[in-house]
Amino acid sequence: DGGITQSPKYLFRKEGQNVTLSCEQNLNHDAMYWYRQDPGQGLRLIYYSQIVNDFQKGDIAEGYSVSREKKESFPLTVTSAQKNPTAFYLCASVFDGDTEAFFGQGTRLTVV
Amino acid sequence: GENVEQHPSTLSVQEGDSAVIKCTYSDSASNYFPWYKQELGKRPQLIIDIRSNVGEKKDQRIAVTLNKTAKHFSLHITETQPEDSAVYFCAAPWGGMDTGRRALTFGSGTRLQVQP
């Protein structure tokens, strides 16, 4: 069953803690993206990667880090430097250039 | 980055009426304009897209129009049904002419409510 999978679905973070959100795809897509969605708002781009071992900052990269060691995987780490991390995080992948983006089911992160 | 503005933020229509959502973008290099639908608690899914070489595209009750000169594009839903109720997002690629370096930038979303 091909697709893009995010885990976990729900994640709770303590103050000052780093957490990592997983994103895996078996669609053979080159490009992968991380977006943040706050209640009633749009999707804001955190980081994106067009190819293995390469990634670029989006509009709100501060407090986040990523890696792209494998084509299938694009994990996002929410560091303690991110002061307001509570949000819904969506990962997406694209086969090539300007084509349909496929989204994972999202991870809801809450600071406790 | 690319500035994509979307209006209105909320839209309520009666079942059977039409709904129109408008977006403007700033990057003149953008040439791909998708629309996504996000139902409550679910992931966004593509419903229609248009490329800059055409001015209009239709798919059953959904249509998208593009005006590259004015840098705006619109989503039109005719004969709305309760299951059309969702949040709709427009998007445009950002990052310049190199498609290998671009990423989709999304509008702020429109919450559409179709009243039975």
Side-chain angles (χ1 to χ4, degrees):
Chain A
D1 184 22
I4 180 166
T5 303
Q6 289 184 241
S7 62
K9 189 173 182 180
Y10 299 97
L11 185 58
F12 297 90
R13 191 194 94 166
K14 294 182 181 179
E15 294 281 353
Q17 194 177 45
N18 291 358
V19 291
T20 297
L21 284 58
S22 171
C23 180
E24 304 276 333
Q25 54 96 2
N26 60 5
L27 300 168
N28 198 33
H29 287 176
D30 285 318
M32 297 185 74
Y33 309 90
W34 275 105
Y35 293 93
R36 169 178 170 147
Q37 186 173 31
D38 293 284
Q41 297 192 30
L43 286 70
R44 292 186 290 170
L45 182 66
I46 305 172
Y47 268 98
Y48 63 108
S49 168
Q50 300 288 4
I51 197 168
V52 174
N53 293 323
D54 185 39
F55 49 83
Q56 292 80 41
K57 292 181 179 180
D59 295 324
I60 56 166
E62 185 174 352
Y64 300 96
S65 66
V66 293
S67 63
R68 188 82 187 280
E69 297 176 1
K70 299 187 300 181
K71 186 176 185 178
E72 301 81 15
S73 179
F74 191 41
L76 173 74
T77 296
V78 184
T79 74
S80 57
Q82 172 49 241
K83 298 307 178 187
N84 185 24
T86 295
F88 188 54
Y89 291 86
L90 284 161
C91 178
S93 70
V94 175
F95 175 64
D96 181 34
D98 299 329
T99 56
E100 179 179 0
F102 290 84
F103 285 86
Q105 73 271 39
T107 293
R108 191 167 298 279
L109 174 63
T110 304
V111 174
V112 296
Chain B
E2 167 82 280
N3 185 25
V4 179
E5 294 191 358
Q6 183 173 345
H7 301 280
S9 57
T10 60
L11 180 58
S12 183
V13 299
Q14 290 294 123
E15 182 176 359
D17 287 349
S18 295
V20 180
I21 303 170
K22 300 181 179 181
C23 285
T24 60
Y25 62 97
S26 60
D27 188 354
S28 58
S30 296
N31 59 4
Y32 173 66
F33 306 94
W35 286 89
Y36 287 80
K37 176 182 180 181
Q38 186 179 29
E39 297 178 352
L40 189 63
K42 296 189 176 181
R43 70 190 82 187
Q45 293 191 303
L46 180 74
I47 54 171
I48 194 167
D49 56 15
I50 191 169
R51 299 186 185 277
S52 58
N53 57 343
V54 297
E56 184 176 7
K57 183 177 178 181
K58 290 183 179 180
D59 183 3
Q60 299 182 350
R61 297 185 297 107
I62 294 173
V64 55
T65 59
L66 171 65
N67 183 327
K68 281 219 75 177
T69 302
K71 296 184 187 175
H72 66 71
F73 56 112
S74 300
L75 176 71
H76 305 253
I77 306 174
T78 59
E79 301 172 23
T80 53
Q81 302 168 3
E83 51 265 37
D84 294 330
S85 296
V87 179
Y88 291 82
F89 294 98
C90 61
W94 162 72
M97 295 296 292
D98 182 359
T99 59
R101 303 288 292 183
R102 294 212 291 245
L104 277 180
T105 298
F106 286 81
S108 54
T110 296
R111 183 173 299 279
L112 174 64
Q113 290 184 311
V114 180
Q115 307 290 345

